[in-house]
Amino acid sequence: MTAIVPILELLSCLGYGAAFLRLFGRGFAPVGTLGLAMAFVIGLGVLGWLMFFVGAAGLFQDPWLWAVLLAGLAGLPLLAPSWRDVAWERPDATGMLLLALLTIVFVLDGLEALAPPADADSLAYHFAVPRQFIRAGALEFIYRSPDGAIPYLLQMGYVPALALGGERALTAWTGVTGWIAVGAVYAFARPYLSRNWALALALVFATLPVVLYGAGTGQVETRLALFAVVSAWAAGKAVEGGDARYAALAGAVAGFYAGSKYLGLLYLVAIGACLLFHRRRFAFGALFSVFAAFAGFQWYAWNAIHTGDPVFPMLFQWLGRENLIQWPLTHDRYFQLFLEGDRPLERNPFNLILYPFLATLHAPPETEAKLIGLGPFGLLVLPFAVLGAWRIRDRIRPGVLWSFVVAAGIFYVLWFFTGSSQRVRHLLPVAPLLLIAMTVAAERLTRNSGMRRPLLVAFAATVAIQLAGAGLVGMKFVRHVASGDDREGFLQRYVSYYAPVPWINANLKTSDRLLIGERQLFYFLNVPFLFASPFAQGEIDLRPEQTDPSRLLADLCAARITHILLRQDASGTYAAMPAMVALARGPALVRVQEFAVRVVGLKTLPGTVSEARMDMLRLVGCRG
Amino acid sequence: MSEPARESRTGGVRSEDALGIVGAWIWIVIATAAYLWQYRDMTGLILGALGFGV
């Protein structure tokens, strides 16, 4: 099943996408590689969209999941023209070299797909939430932010992989979809670039630090790039040729983006703005809006039903239910402070321009751009691209490449000024748009010119630097396979604070509830839990300012907590939670186990590992 | 897309193109060096990961 399920899901997505495209009429969709890429991307959205309703109906059981996947296969015959049109030409020496380098990256990514999941965000929610839904057999509302109550359209695609094929099918699925993003960069660049240039660009994309970091994990940004590219392409076709069907398609696919991440709402605005450049802007806008709302509304409705706020908790202070035990208004005000910490740069026009340079050359730690950035390519190619665009400025008309640049630009400006987290990886979905447009402009500028050689060196330098990074990142997966290390060994080595997990699953019952501060352990837990974060949850007041142990005890009892897993600090206590320190001195908390744990700074760099200790406490002070 | 001729009648490279080429090389060298410079504090960790105990 491990191999069958990802392949079946891949074919199912292709079938669903082909069927969706056929709704727009025969001959509407492109054929060949581009047609296949589009069908998959749209099918990925359709599958995630369907899975919401399957889960909301409480049908996350194997027979229903098989049925959803198998139903998609019915659309496969519609792809026959695309298969027939895929051209295979023998590559020249440069093409062979590029394919060889892509193969190296592909093998390293394949080894990652074979390894157990170890990325913190994936273990906290991208994988943990689908697992929770599968165990419940239905969708559940998670009163947690910013990684609980969010749009999950893409993660709905993880549900059949995990439920039917197990963990390895899940990691294989993320590996497959990550590589389809690389293939999509090639496919959407190919109409404007020669095969070798498109291959080189695909190699640059495949080895971007942020892609190396996230493509093989449950993180959604690499997969969101698929939605971003297809919707921008459709918007470009709409304004170029005036065919309203493309506006509808752009709306549907941008809606899938919005259904997968809140930032997709900004992308909807960006794509909608592109459509305004055509004289049929009102018709385009209406179609775009209807399709976008249909494709992306469900998770916002899900939030509104449970909290009153469709974009929970961003508008909670105005729209939220006042009597919500899991997210009180007083807690919501505290949560807003947490968001401020993710924005190191003040939001002003100067920083808007400065940010990309800063993120490339001297990134503030909050942006995570030094290790999870967009690489040197944009900086190296910038003057070529700007000069290339300037040279052809009189011939620039609304179309696909134009739409790529406008959509990416508007998204960036909105992202920067609306107060989103300034982590650079949130820009990854629009990165292929700029990579393609910049490369086309630079390639045109340097054609038959002495500037060709510096441009080629810029590509070579980027690939060399990024391939070195890929090798470094891939080494732990090579070691894992070479050493024959088992799953537990890998997790003990690469997941911080993992040591208590086997004990928890062996000793706690499903009637217990664990308060746990390590979000990267959620995926592994077989017992109910609550995240011990002062920001992310509102059931228990864990703010450092809260020093009253009796109030803490009342909160813990009300939340039905039975056990608490805490890190020891240097003094052997829990100084970040003064009320907990006071409570632990009394009889209400009993230490039942102590663990020696590994703390992994950077999984790629063994020199960043340290040791620590954790305590498992049992709560005995609740009455009744 | 057609480009203007770059060869002068004497067979040399036009001065504005030569300027662009030199500028492009300078940009590539400086930008690459500046990009790599930010990782100077991680050299030991990277060498350690590669098996060279530093």
Side-chain angles (χ1 to χ4, degrees), chain A residues 389-407:
Chain A
W390 179 255
R391 283 257 175 97
I392 59 164
R393 63 191 180 281
D394 295 336
R395 281 174 283 159
I396 294 175
R397 302 275 182 279
V400 171
L401 288 178
W402 169 91
S403 157
F404 280 10
V405 175
V406 172

Side-chain angles (χ1 to χ4, degrees), chain A residues 104-121:
Chain A
I104 292 171
V105 183
F106 182 76
V107 169
L108 290 173
D109 288 349
L111 295 178
E112 182 180 6
L114 293 174
D119 163 61
D121 279 356

Side-chain angles (χ1 to χ4, degrees), chain A residues 18-66:
Chain A
F20 187 88
L21 284 167
R22 179 54 68 88
L23 296 177
F24 293 96
R26 196 182 286 268
F28 169 75
V31 291
T33 317
L34 192 59
L36 292 174
M38 280 191 63
F40 176 82
V41 175
I42 293 164
L44 187 66
V46 172
L47 178 69
W49 188 88
L50 286 172
M51 291 301 296
F52 171 86
F53 298 99
V54 176
L59 300 176
F60 274 164
Q61 288 100 32
D62 290 2
W64 292 100
L65 300 176
W66 281 117

Side-chain angles (χ1 to χ4, degrees), chain A residues 203-368:
Chain A
L203 181 60
V204 166
F205 179 75
T207 54
L208 289 179
V210 68
V211 172
L212 294 173
Y213 161 77
T217 72
Q219 307 253 0
V220 292
E221 281 79 11
T222 314
R223 284 153 276 279
L224 290 176
L226 293 166
F227 293 148
V229 170
V230 172
S231 52
W233 178 89
K237 296 295 274 186
V239 293
E240 187 179 65
D243 187 336
R245 293 176 299 173
Y246 288 112
L249 179 63
V253 183
F256 291 146
Y257 188 160
S260 305
K261 199 172 176 80
Y262 283 146
L263 285 176
L265 294 171
L266 303 183
Y267 197 68
L268 275 177
V269 176
I271 292 292
C274 290
L275 295 172
L276 295 178
F277 284 82
H278 193 272
R279 60 183 170 74
R280 297 177 68 192
R281 57 183 63 89
F282 293 111
F284 281 10
L287 268 174
F288 172 83
S289 304
V290 168
F291 273 76
F294 193 65
F297 81 96
Q298 64 274 40
W299 291 101
Y300 299 90
W302 185 246
N303 282 349
I305 289 167
H306 289 88
T307 68
D309 177 7
V311 287
F312 176 82
M314 283 182 272
L315 303 178
F316 191 82
Q317 52 192 310
W318 299 291
L319 301 177
R321 295 206 186 123
E322 287 183 19
N323 56 351
L324 203 61
I325 297 167
Q326 295 92 339
W327 198 267
L329 276 168
T330 47
H331 173 75
D332 187 69
R333 279 191 283 278
Y334 187 65
F335 178 78
Q336 302 305 323
L337 300 175
F338 165 78
L339 295 180
E340 288 296 327
D342 257 7
R343 294 193 294 261
L345 264 66
E346 197 181 322
R347 288 171 281 161
N348 59 45
F350 176 73
N351 283 339
L352 175 80
I353 299 187
L354 181 67
Y355 177 88
F357 296 96
L358 210 53
T360 306
L361 296 173
H362 187 66
E366 297 88 341
T367 65
E368 298 179 349

Side-chain angles (χ1 to χ4, degrees), chain B residues 16-41:
Chain B
E16 63 266 35
D17 281 4
L19 195 65
I21 294 164
V22 171
W25 279 115
I26 292 172
W27 175 265
I28 299 296
V29 171
I30 291 176
T32 306
Y35 179 78
L36 291 173
W37 181 248
Q38 66 186 311
Y39 298 103
R40 65 195 181 282
D41 59 333

Side-chain angles (χ1 to χ4, degrees), chain A residues 374-617:
Chain A
L374 292 169
F377 182 80
L379 182 72
L380 295 182
V381 176
L382 182 67
F384 298 90
V386 170
L387 200 57
W390 179 255
R391 283 257 175 97
I392 59 164
R393 63 191 180 281
D394 295 336
R395 281 174 283 159
I396 294 175
R397 302 275 182 279
V400 171
L401 288 178
W402 169 91
S403 157
F404 280 10
V405 175
V406 172
I410 294 175
F411 177 80
Y412 171 64
V413 172
L414 291 173
W415 171 81
F416 191 83
F417 282 117
T418 51
S420 308
S421 155
Q422 287 177 350
R423 287 180 190 152
V424 77
R425 69 181 146 99
H426 294 154
L427 296 174
L428 171 60
V430 298
L433 306 178
L434 285 180
L435 288 180
I436 293 172
M438 287 177 76
T439 305
V440 171
E443 194 275 336
R444 297 287 192 276
L445 172 78
T446 60
R447 204 178 274 180
N448 305 318
S449 151
M451 285 169 78
R452 188 67 142 197
R453 194 167 290 173
L455 178 64
L456 293 174
V457 169
F459 258 88
T462 301
V463 168
I465 291 168
Q466 293 185 172
L467 268 178
L472 209 55
V473 169
M475 273 179 60
K476 58 180 173 291
F477 304 117
V478 175
R479 281 202 194 101
H480 170 59
V481 172
S483 68
D485 207 4
D486 64 3
R487 179 177 184 271
E488 282 298 301
F490 184 86
L491 296 174
Q492 293 276 8
R493 185 184 299 273
Y494 290 114
V495 178
S496 286
Y497 304 98
Y498 179 79
V501 169
W503 187 93
I504 291 168
N505 286 336
N507 290 281
L508 268 58
K509 301 183 289 292
T510 50
S511 56
D512 291 320
R513 195 178 192 208
L514 175 67
L515 183 68
I516 177 172
E518 308 307 326
R519 60 199 285 276
Q520 72 279 8
L521 304 184
F522 293 170
Y523 170 80
F524 305 109
L525 299 177
N526 294 333
V527 296
F529 62 87
L530 180 69
F531 186 21
S533 157
F535 295 104
Q537 56 78 39
E539 283 188 70
I540 299 173
D541 188 350
L542 293 170
R543 292 173 301 150
E545 304 90 288
Q546 205 295 86
T547 55
D548 179 359
S550 58
R551 215 182 113 206
L552 175 63
L553 181 62
D555 278 357
L556 291 168
C557 295
R560 295 176 290 102
I561 298 298
T562 59
H563 293 77
I564 304 170
L565 183 66
L566 292 173
R567 291 181 201 179
Q568 290 180 9
D569 55 28
S571 63
T573 63
Y574 330 109
M577 299 182 197
M580 193 71 80
V581 175
L583 195 64
R585 285 199 199 104
L589 286 176
V590 178
R591 188 164 78 178
V592 290
Q593 193 73 23
E594 187 178 13
F595 304 94
V597 293
R598 277 168 65 90
V599 185
V600 184
L602 299 167
K603 286 186 277 292
T604 300
L605 302 174
T608 58
V609 172
S610 58
E611 306 287 331
R613 302 195 78 78
M614 299 184 85
D615 289 332
M616 176 62 75
L617 307 173

Side-chain angles (χ1 to χ4, degrees), chain A residues 63-274:
Chain A
W64 292 100
L65 300 176
W66 281 117
V68 172
L69 291 191
L70 291 170
L73 302 185
L76 281 178
L78 299 170
L79 281 176
S82 275
W83 289 114
R84 278 198 296 270
D85 206 61
V86 173
W88 171 255
E89 302 161 60
R90 192 176 173 77
D92 59 12
T94 307
M96 290 295 282
L97 174 66
L98 291 166
L99 284 172
L101 295 175
L102 278 164
T103 304
I104 292 171
V105 183
F106 182 76
V107 169
L108 290 173
D109 288 349
L111 295 178
E112 182 180 6
L114 293 174
D119 163 61
D121 279 356
S122 304
L123 297 173
Y125 65 112
H126 296 298
F127 289 166
V129 169
R131 184 172 182 266
Q132 181 179 336
F133 291 167
I134 292 166
R135 286 168 67 87
L139 298 184
E140 290 181 333
F141 192 81
I142 300 165
Y143 291 92
R144 201 174 75 220
S145 188
D147 61 2
I150 52 170
Y152 280 112
L153 185 145
L154 262 178
Q155 289 91 338
M156 287 296 94
Y158 301 167
V159 169
L162 180 60
L164 303 175
E167 182 178 280
R168 198 165 268 187
L170 174 64
T171 52
W173 176 243
T174 56
V176 166
T177 48
W179 264 87
I180 288 175
V182 176
V185 169
Y186 173 84
F188 282 87
R190 190 67 182 87
Y192 311 99
L193 295 169
S194 71
R195 188 181 49 200
N196 285 350
W197 277 98
L199 279 175
L201 190 58
L203 181 60
V204 166
F205 179 75
T207 54
L208 289 179
V210 68
V211 172
L212 294 173
Y213 161 77
T217 72
Q219 307 253 0
V220 292
E221 281 79 11
T222 314
R223 284 153 276 279
L224 290 176
L226 293 166
F227 293 148
V229 170
V230 172
S231 52
W233 178 89
K237 296 295 274 186
V239 293
E240 187 179 65
D243 187 336
R245 293 176 299 173
Y246 288 112
L249 179 63
V253 183
F256 291 146
Y257 188 160
S260 305
K261 199 172 176 80
Y262 283 146
L263 285 176
L265 294 171
L266 303 183
Y267 197 68
L268 275 177
V269 176
I271 292 292
C274 290

